[in-house]
Amino acid sequence: MSEKKPYYITTPIYYPSGNPHIGHCYTTLACDVVARLKRMQGMDVMFLTGTDEHGQKIEDKAKEAGITPQQYVDDIVANFKRLWERLGISYDRFIRTTDPYHVESVQKIFETLYKKGYIYKGEYTGKYCKPCESFWTESQLVDGKCPDCGRDVVDASEEAYFLKLSQFAPQLEKLLTDEELNILEPKSRVNEMVNNFIKPGLQDLCVSRTSFKWGVPVTFDDKHVVYVWVDALSNYISALGYENSEYNEMDKYWPADMHVMAKEIVRFHSLIWPAMLMALDLPLPKKIVGHGWITFGGGKMSKSSGNVVDPFILTDRYGVDALRYHLLREMPFGADAPYTNEMMFNRINSDLANDLGNLVSRTVAMVIKYFGGTLPVEREADALDDELFSMLDALPAKVIADYETLHIADALEAIFKVIARANKYIDENAPWVLAKDEAKATRLATVLYNLLDAVRRCTILLSPVMPHTAPAIFEQIGAADDCTTLEAASIKGALKADVTVVKGPVLFPRIDVEKELAELEALSPKKEEKPEIALEPIKENCVFDDFMKLDIRAGKVISCEKVKKSDKLLCFQIDDGFGGRQILSGIAKYYEPEQLVGKTIAMIVNFPPRKMMGLESNGMILSAQTAEGGFRVVELGDNVMPGAQLS
Ligand code: MSP
């Protein structure tokens, strides 16, 4: 058996500084489409995604929340994974930069670059954008602000290690402009890199920090942690086992076939990353693609702008494949795409409910109505078939090439043109007229067969984008597995001649746009008010045993004090019926400590002890959000005994 050809595709590793939003979905979905396509082509795919967990911003946010950075990221990373599961993302590996094997790789990479003389010690002064963790030169600022996010920058200076990026300028320019290599797409990004960064003079890059601790320590100088971007970019090789013993797949998968990201981080991937790889004597990735942004009211959608549309709510209400289809259909290659709920509803109604859904349901219904569900095998061709056939024949090559190069919207447009043509074919052939004349039964069967076969071929090509819908369609049109492979998309008439169809549920119910807009509006947090008070979606089912693992008890608050230097934490002494315990809780903003003394509260008592601000916490007090966005502890009746178990 010949060995499968490897294919390695990556998303950026996302910052778990806030929960994932629709913006993060696009890149991950686009990679998922390519990964699924490559698997259909019989390749051995490594699809990598993950989270970029170090840096000052995370350290600050954790401090604000009164928890450790690790605890802070653990919660958010779980939400990223939950979202990817919801969206059917078929990643093969999920890397976290806090994984010990990754830390080991980063430390060795830094050491190697230092030993080889590519990293040296110096002093950094510059303009620093805290949220972006980026230093900028004066000339790169836009109106004195960070060119990436438009926020204020501050003067910063520190002893630091530098990567000799300047030394790589000629090689980088050659690399990016080499037409044969064609490493960076779209081409407009090449000009941007060369004209804005390389031509003005590439500076050496500051690659260590002393101003915070939440990072990978430099092994030979532990005041310093490694700059997040050096840490983060290394994920693409540490995830394959470069300089660690967790994996051993560098030979198999490196160099990457495609690094995918949005435009704002192309700079890091097409300048710093290739320079690091050259310095390490490693081959360069074959392709870097920087797509546009999903925008929402003009700007890049992000958590901080309060304009987030919750992908959990959208998929709950309209289905996973509808959201997948919409996002992938809407983003033209290399450009930005606005997102509105209304656009999504219109798209679902026109493409999915009207065109695709109707084609399938009408065809299946006619096979049932005119032939009892099973077609006879005789055929009678007609010139009316030709255009549909030739469009179907041309489709696979176009769609595959578009998917492979991330022109996913173009591929979908092409598929839906054929679907529209198939709908027109129904009208041209008027099966309801053919059905009236018994002599035309063979032609009628042919028309219906051609329609089913067209649906089959289009659905195969749609399946990387709509992996949940495709099997449902195959079932309805009676397409067995052997005629749903990628190769079978190019084969006319692969569907069994005496095919039997099955009526199935409506694939995409029509959306009442006005009604849904009003309902979503009612569900969404009001921007000016408190965006935090959107309800969390209901979690997945768990079993009673999961609940029984938690030991939830009643406790009486003996004393309660503010924790020094923390504006979040309260320190409770609690009668727990077993001699008492100390618990810290991040609710200082919502109570005066004395309000809580004497109350009987609910608490989880079997979490391992945890230190916060130097104090030990032995449990967690349960509380819930108020309509105003505050928090109230769960209060139990005065006659409930301290130590009583909640069940
Ligand atoms: N941690 C870095 C990446 C390190 S990769 C070695 C980072 N993280 S991020 O959480 O900010 O993610 C940025 C990426 O998320 C974008 O490049 C893009 O892939 C995706 N997107 C986030 N918001 C987006 C939109 N509004 N639209 C499209 N993609 C967006 O940068």
Side-chain angles (χ1 to χ4, degrees):
M1 218 176 74
S2 70
E3 210 146 277
K4 283 184 168 183
K5 223 173 131 208
Y7 186 88
Y8 183 29
I9 183 165
T10 68
T11 72
I13 47 173
Y14 303 108
Y15 291 130
S17 51
N19 278 325
H21 54 72
I22 275 215
H24 298 109
C25 297
Y26 178 78
T27 320
T28 317
L29 283 172
C31 291
D32 189 55
V33 170
V34 181
R36 285 174 184 273
L37 172 79
K38 293 288 153 189
R39 289 190 202 105
M40 287 171 85
Q41 289 175 328
M43 295 179 98
D44 174 351
V45 174
M46 171 59 72
F47 169 12
L48 177 72
T49 190
T51 39
D52 181 1
E53 306 184 6
H54 292 124
Q56 180 147 26
K57 192 168 167 191
I58 303 252
E59 191 179 271
D60 289 351
K61 287 225 164 187
K63 209 179 274 167
E64 225 174 79
I67 54 179
T68 65
Q70 190 67 55
Q71 286 159 349
Y72 183 85
V73 293
D74 283 353
D75 286 349
I76 296 178
V77 170
N79 290 337
F80 270 94
K81 288 188 169 169
R82 210 157 58 86
L83 179 59
W84 299 154
E85 193 178 327
R86 165 67 65 91
L87 292 179
I89 302 297
S90 62
Y91 63 81
D92 297 291
R93 192 159 291 163
F94 191 103
I95 186 168
R96 302 182 55 176
T97 55
T98 51
D99 287 335
Y101 76 88
H102 169 80
V103 171
E104 184 188 338
S105 291
V106 172
Q107 289 185 322
K108 290 200 183 137
I109 289 170
F110 201 91
E111 262 174 40
T112 308
L113 294 176
Y114 184 68
K115 280 189 197 138
K116 287 176 123 185
Y118 291 113
I119 283 180
Y120 63 93
K121 197 169 188 174
E123 170 91 12
Y124 194 90
T125 14
K127 304 282 177 192
Y128 189 64
C129 174
K130 224 171 164 185
C132 297
E133 322 239 9
S134 289
F135 269 102
W136 301 95
T137 60
E138 197 84 46
S139 65
Q140 288 169 329
L141 301 179
V142 176
D143 300 331
K145 312 255 182 200
C146 170
D148 270 356
C149 71
R151 279 180 272 217
D152 287 336
V153 291
V154 289
D155 284 316
S157 158
E158 59 183 24
E159 175 195 275
Y161 289 88
F162 287 82
L163 175 70
K164 287 186 178 167
L165 195 58
S166 56
Q167 176 180 324
F168 290 95
Q171 280 143 284
L172 289 171
E173 180 166 357
K174 200 157 162 276
L175 170 75
L176 294 175
T177 52
D178 184 322
E179 303 227 333
E180 239 162 75
L181 275 181
N182 194 17
I183 186 172
L184 175 58
E185 298 227 31
K187 282 283 142 292
S188 54
R189 308 259 182 264
V190 174
N191 300 335
E192 191 186 324
M193 292 305 118
V194 173
N195 297 337
N196 299 359
F197 295 102
I198 301 181
K199 288 251 156 76
L202 210 49
Q203 311 277 322
D204 284 353
L205 178 75
C206 177
V207 289
S208 75
R209 298 287 184 269
T210 51
S211 50
F212 62 93
K213 284 267 156 273
W214 182 240
V216 176
V218 173
T219 44
F220 50 89
D221 192 348
D222 62 11
K223 274 209 316 282
H224 293 258
V225 293
V226 174
Y227 172 47
V228 275
W229 273 99
V230 169
D231 172 0
L233 289 162
S234 304
N235 95 88
Y236 299 130
I237 50 177
S238 73
L240 301 178
Y242 183 74
E243 298 282 21
N244 68 61
S245 48
E246 182 83 7
Y247 300 109
N248 186 17
E249 289 161 325
M250 275 299 280
D251 289 346
K252 184 165 174 194
Y253 292 115
W254 191 257
D257 291 274
M258 186 146 65
H259 291 314
V260 184
M261 70 215 66
K263 56 190 175 182
E264 83 289 355
I265 57 171
V266 163
R267 180 168 72 95
F268 301 93
H269 285 79
S270 59
L271 300 173
I272 302 173
W273 183 224
M276 282 172 65
L277 290 166
M278 288 177 198
L280 292 168
D281 276 324
L282 285 172
L284 303 177
K286 294 180 203 161
K287 188 72 83 188
I288 298 168
V289 183
H291 59 71
W293 287 334
I294 295 184
T295 60
F296 197 94
K300 172 171 163 244
M301 185 185 307
S302 73
K303 185 83 185 159
S304 55
S305 54
N307 58 14
V308 180
V309 181
D310 187 335
F312 285 101
I313 296 181
L314 295 176
T315 48
D316 268 347
R317 297 175 76 92
Y318 316 111
V320 172
D321 282 5
L323 181 65
R324 287 178 65 111
Y325 173 77
H326 175 68
L327 293 179
L328 292 163
R329 173 68 186 82
E330 216 50 52
M331 181 86 93
F333 186 69
D336 290 348
Y339 175 89
T340 69
N341 289 327
E342 190 170 358
M343 283 167 72
M344 165 147 141
F345 297 156
N346 290 333
R347 187 57 88 187
I348 293 175
N349 281 346
S350 69
D351 294 11
L352 301 184
N354 278 4
D355 292 355
L356 176 61
N358 260 346
L359 175 64
V360 175
S361 65
R362 280 164 92 190
T363 308
V364 167
M366 288 190 287
V367 175
I368 293 171
K369 183 167 176 197
Y370 302 133
F371 295 101
T374 302
L375 287 180
V377 297
E378 293 77 31
R379 298 284 175 261
E380 182 186 326
D382 189 291
L384 279 179
D385 305 339
D386 296 349
E387 198 186 13
L388 180 61
F389 287 157
S390 67
M391 283 176 87
L392 281 163
D393 288 344
L395 195 60
K398 150 103 184 135
V399 169
I400 291 168
D402 280 347
Y403 281 165
E404 278 173 339
T405 54
L406 280 196
H407 290 67
I408 298 174
D410 296 337
L412 292 173
E413 190 183 3
I415 298 172
F416 275 80
K417 268 197 187 138
V418 180
I419 289 170
R421 184 65 191 82
N423 275 316
K424 190 170 153 211
Y425 178 83
I426 299 184
D427 299 336
E428 287 167 350
N429 284 282
W432 46 92
V433 176
L434 296 174
K436 290 196 180 125
D437 182 350
E438 236 172 68
K440 301 218 167 111
T442 304
R443 177 61 195 157
L444 175 62
T446 307
V447 168
L448 295 180
Y449 179 85
N450 289 343
L451 285 165
L452 290 175
D453 205 47
V455 169
R456 176 188 65 83
R457 296 175 72 179
C458 289
T459 304
I460 294 172
L461 297 173
L462 272 177
S463 65
V465 171
M466 302 211 276
H468 310 88
T469 306
I473 297 181
F474 291 141
E475 195 179 324
Q476 293 196 31
I477 64 167
D481 289 352
D482 59 350
C483 66
T484 60
T485 60
L486 188 60
E487 298 77 52
S490 303
I491 303 173
K492 182 176 129 193
L495 194 67
K496 212 160 77 145
D498 58 345
V499 60
T500 301
V501 300
V502 189
K503 191 172 153 47
V506 175
L507 293 168
F508 298 99
R510 265 194 80 79
I511 293 177
D512 179 337
V513 176
E514 292 306 315
K515 179 171 155 272
E516 284 301 324
L517 283 176
E519 285 185 17
L520 277 188
E521 180 64 29
L523 279 177
S524 61
K526 297 284 163 287
K527 247 190 263 172
E528 322 69 51
E529 294 161 22
K530 292 219 168 353
E532 295 85 354
I533 58 177
L535 287 179
E536 286 291 326
I538 304 282
K539 292 182 187 163
E540 274 163 27
N541 285 351
C542 69
V543 290
F544 186 62
D545 281 350
D546 292 335
F547 172 74
M548 286 304 287
K549 282 188 199 148
L550 289 177
D551 197 345
I552 312 178
R553 305 274 176 152
K556 195 172 176 95
V557 179
I558 306 298
S559 72
C560 176
E561 283 173 5
K562 285 201 151 117
V563 172
K564 282 201 194 85
K565 291 201 189 134
S566 165
D567 51 3
K568 286 221 145 185
L569 287 178
L570 291 180
C571 180
F572 291 81
Q573 302 304 328
I574 293 179
D575 176 5
D576 61 355
F578 292 88
R581 66 177 56 223
Q582 170 170 299
I583 297 186
L584 301 178
S585 178
I587 51 172
K589 279 198 201 141
Y590 313 113
Y591 282 103
E592 288 307 319
E594 52 278 12
Q595 283 178 282
L596 288 158
V597 177
K599 296 231 149 101
T600 302
I601 50 89
M603 59 192 177
I604 298 174
V605 294
N606 63 338
F607 284 154
R610 186 168 116 183
K611 271 216 159 151
M612 292 186 258
M613 307 293 288
L615 295 170
E616 195 175 89
S617 180
N618 293 287
M620 185 178 119
I621 294 177
L622 298 182
S623 56
Q625 267 183 331
T626 62
E628 294 75 35
F631 269 91
R632 304 309 285 174
V633 298
V634 175
E635 283 184 44
L636 303 172
D638 282 341
N639 53 349
V640 174
M641 257 182 358
Q645 203 159 28
L646 273 76
S647 55

